Amino acid sequence: MKADFVNPFIQGLLNVMSTMAQTTLTPGKPQRKQSDVAKGDVSGLIGMVGPDVKGSMSITFDEQLALTIMERMVGERPGKIDAEVGDMVGEITNMICGSAKRDLGERGYEFGMATPIVVSGKSHSISHQVDGPKIILPFMCDEGHAHLEICFDK
């Protein structure tokens, strides 16, 4: 998978977290992901389809990080992952993908975005439904970990 496809998602995540949740994430080393098991407690997954490209992206947060982001975005900290936290993760997924879509569109890659789905729970699965390599990128901060997964057929 080309860095051209990955970097806009990384930039989107970093920008959304810093502007919307006042949270600075530090990237770790990207790896190829072999299984469908999520590395965190709540995930947003979005599909993308265009004339020349098909892919999907997911963002997964540790529970404590998700709750902290919720607190920073809306001013209240829930006691656990609930429907409102799920809605927030879906919106963050949409914002990251929208940012990447804009950047990739400027490079000639056009695609539409599906509605994000949110899955939560320990050891939940993320099914990308795209025939291509899955890249997972860890991000760290004091409040926990996030993992960005990107899968494209290119």
Side-chain angles (χ1 to χ4, degrees):
M1 187 178 313
K2 298 181 205 171
D4 284 2
F5 279 82
V6 176
N7 289 337
F9 293 96
I10 294 170
Q11 283 309 117
L13 170 62
L14 296 175
N15 289 341
V16 168
M17 289 293 95
S18 106
T19 58
M20 301 301 292
Q22 300 77 48
T23 302
T24 301
L25 296 175
T26 303
K29 184 180 177 193
Q31 300 174 7
R32 196 156 190 186
K33 188 169 183 214
Q34 304 297 332
S35 77
D36 288 343
V37 178
K39 298 276 189 187
D41 302 307
V42 59
S43 301
L45 173 67
I46 191 164
M48 301 160 276
V49 177
D52 300 318
V53 66
K54 180 179 175 186
S56 61
M57 179 219 84
S58 72
I59 181 68
T60 302
F61 298 102
D62 289 348
E63 181 174 21
Q64 290 308 310
L65 179 54
L67 299 178
T68 299
I69 292 168
M70 184 76 171
E71 181 178 23
R72 290 176 179 170
M73 288 179 76
V74 301
E76 291 183 23
R77 184 183 185 92
K80 61 182 172 58
I81 294 172
D82 59 14
E84 288 182 358
V85 174
D87 289 346
M88 175 204 66
V89 170
E91 281 304 313
I92 288 171
T93 305
N94 229 2
M95 288 187 273
I96 295 167
C97 193
S99 174
K101 180 181 191 254
R102 182 183 61 249
D103 288 355
L104 288 169
E106 291 171 1
R107 298 177 197 170
Y109 298 105
E110 296 295 331
F111 57 84
M113 296 169 24
T115 302
I117 60 166
V118 176
V119 184
S120 63
K122 300 285 183 203
S123 299
H124 65 273
S125 292
I126 301 170
S127 182
H128 284 276
Q129 305 290 318
V130 177
D131 190 21
K134 289 182 279 192
I135 303 298
I136 185 165
L137 301 108
F139 293 84
M140 289 80 50
C141 67
D142 291 343
E143 296 79 19
H145 292 82
H147 289 85
L148 181 68
E149 293 182 25
I150 303 165
C151 182
F152 276 98
D153 63 359
K154 285 271 183 194

